[in-house]
C-alpha cells in the first residue's frame, strides 16, 4: 500500500468533487460530470463515514476513495456506492485494497453479502469486480453476453448488478 | 389522512421515477429532471425502507413519498433526503404527516436531531420546514436574508440547511 486508509471527514466531499472530472477523464461530457457529482452528495461524507475510506498521497493530494454503507433495512447486506482512484495510482492494487478493507469492516458488523452496480458496457469494472470475487446477478436482458437490469436507476439507466458473499 | 402510510418496496422506485416530472412540473427542464432522478437511485428503495414511507391513493396511484434514514456514523442524527407529494394532495397536510411519522419512528431509534436541506430560493420549502419546527443552520453566505451554504453539494450547488431537535 502507498499510504494508510482513513475514514473521510465532511471536507473530503469538496476534495472528491474537485478531482472527479480529471479522474473520470470527462467521460460523458457535461452531462456525465453532473451525473457523477449528483450521485455523490455531501450526505455520504456526513452519515456513512465509518464504512467509507480515503487514501491521501504523501503530498496530501487525494489518491483514492470508497463510499459504502451497511444496509439499514437489511443489516446483513453491505453496499459499495462509489469508488475512485487517481489515474497515477491505477493498476497498483489500491482499488482492491479499498474493497477488501470494506469487506473486513462490514463483516465485523455482521454483513454476509455485498452489492455493487456498474454501468452497462463497463468491462473494466466487470473484470475488476470478478477478480474480487463478485458474481453478476441475473438480469432482465443481456448485453454483450452479460446480464443487465434495464432502467435500473430510472428510465434508460441500465445496470449490471454484482453480489459477493463474505466468508 | 387520506390513507395509510406504508414502507416502500423496491418496485416503488420505478413508481416514483414515473411521476417525478409531473410532480415537479418539469422544473429546471431536462437538466432538472435528470438531477432529481439521479438524487434518488434505487438503493434508497432497497436499503433505507424502514425509515421511508409511501402513501397509496385509493386507486393505487402514488400519492406521496418520503425517503429518509438514520445516520450510520452519527446514530443520534436522522436525515430526510427526498420528499414528494402529488399535486392533487398539496396543502392537505400529507407532507407534514410524512415528516411527523419519520420523527416518531427515528426518535424511537434514539435519534435526537433531524437534518434536511433545500435549494436556495425555495421559500415554500423554507416555510414548510419552519412550520414543522426546523431552524436554519448558519451558512457561509446570505441570500434574500437566509443563511446559505455555498457549493454544498458540489460546484454551484448551494443549499439551505435545516435542523430540528426532537423532544
Amino acid at each position: 500500500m502507498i499510504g494508510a486508509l482513513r475514514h473521510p471527514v465532511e471536507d473530503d466531499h469538496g476534495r472528491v468533487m474537485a478531482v472527479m472530472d480529471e479522474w473520470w477523464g470527462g467521460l460523458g461530457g457535461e452531462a456525465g460530470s453532473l451525473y457523477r457529482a449528483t450521485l455523490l452528495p455531501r450526505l455520504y461524507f456526513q452519515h456513512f463515514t465509518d464504512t467509507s475510506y480515503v487514501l491521501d498521497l504523501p503530498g496530501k493530494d487525494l489518491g483514492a476513495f470508497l463510499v459504502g454503507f451497511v444496509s439499514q433495512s437489511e443489516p446483513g447486506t453491505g453496499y459499495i456506492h462509489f469508488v475512485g482512484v487517481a489515474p497515477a495510482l491505477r493498476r497498483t492494487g489500491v482499488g482492491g485494497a479499498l474493497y477488501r478493507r470494506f469487506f473486513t469492516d462490514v463483516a465485523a458488523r455482521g454483513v454476509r453479502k455485498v452489492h455493487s452496480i456498474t454501468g452497462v458496457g463497463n468491462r473494466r469494472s466487470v473484470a475488476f469486480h470478478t477478480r474480487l470475487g463478485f458474481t453478476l446477478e441475473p438480469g432482465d436482458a443481456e448485453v454483450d453476453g452479460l446480464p443487465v437490469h434495464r432502467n435500473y436507476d430510472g428510465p434508460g439507466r441500465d445496470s449490471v448488478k454484482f453480489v459477493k458473499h463474505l466468508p
Side-chain angles (χ1 to χ4, degrees), chain A:
Chain A
M1 276 296 296
I2 289 172
L5 300 180
R6 64 171 173 83
H7 293 299
V9 295
E10 189 171 335
D11 278 350
D12 286 310
H13 177 258
R15 300 177 73 212
V16 166
M17 291 292 113
V19 299
M20 282 183 112
D21 283 345
E22 181 201 335
W23 288 16
W24 269 264
L27 181 70
E30 176 76 1
S33 177
L34 287 170
Y35 176 63
R36 287 185 292 275
T38 308
L39 272 180
L40 204 49
R42 178 176 291 261
L43 68 88
Y44 289 103
F45 293 80
Q46 297 167 325
H47 301 301
F48 301 100
T49 58
D50 52 342
T51 52
S52 299
Y53 310 91
V54 298
L55 174 70
D56 295 310
L57 296 180
K60 295 298 175 201
D61 277 351
L62 192 66
F65 68 92
L66 179 150
V67 169
F69 56 79
V70 177
S71 174
Q72 179 184 291
S73 40
E74 199 181 297
T77 299
Y79 188 83
I80 294 177
H81 176 52
F82 215 112
V83 181
V85 176
L89 292 189
R90 305 230 171 117
R91 301 175 173 277
T92 64
V94 166
L98 284 163
Y99 272 68
R100 282 189 292 272
R101 173 68 183 273
F102 179 84
F103 297 153
T104 301
D105 286 1
V106 299
R109 293 167 179 244
V111 166
R112 305 261 56 91
K113 64 174 176 167
V114 175
H115 286 289
S116 185
I117 65 170
T118 199
V120 173
N122 191 343
R123 293 205 154 269
R124 187 170 297 190
S125 174
V126 170
F128 172 77
H129 281 87
T130 302
R131 282 198 303 274
L132 281 170
F134 285 92
T135 55
L136 278 66
E137 294 212 302
D140 54 13
E142 197 176 295
V143 174
D144 294 337
L146 298 179
V148 162
H149 298 252
R150 294 279 182 201
N151 305 313
Y152 188 79
D153 269 333
R157 291 184 171 166
D158 304 341
S159 279
V160 171
K161 186 176 179 185
F162 304 106
V163 63
K164 177 185 167 78
H165 295 273
L166 299 182

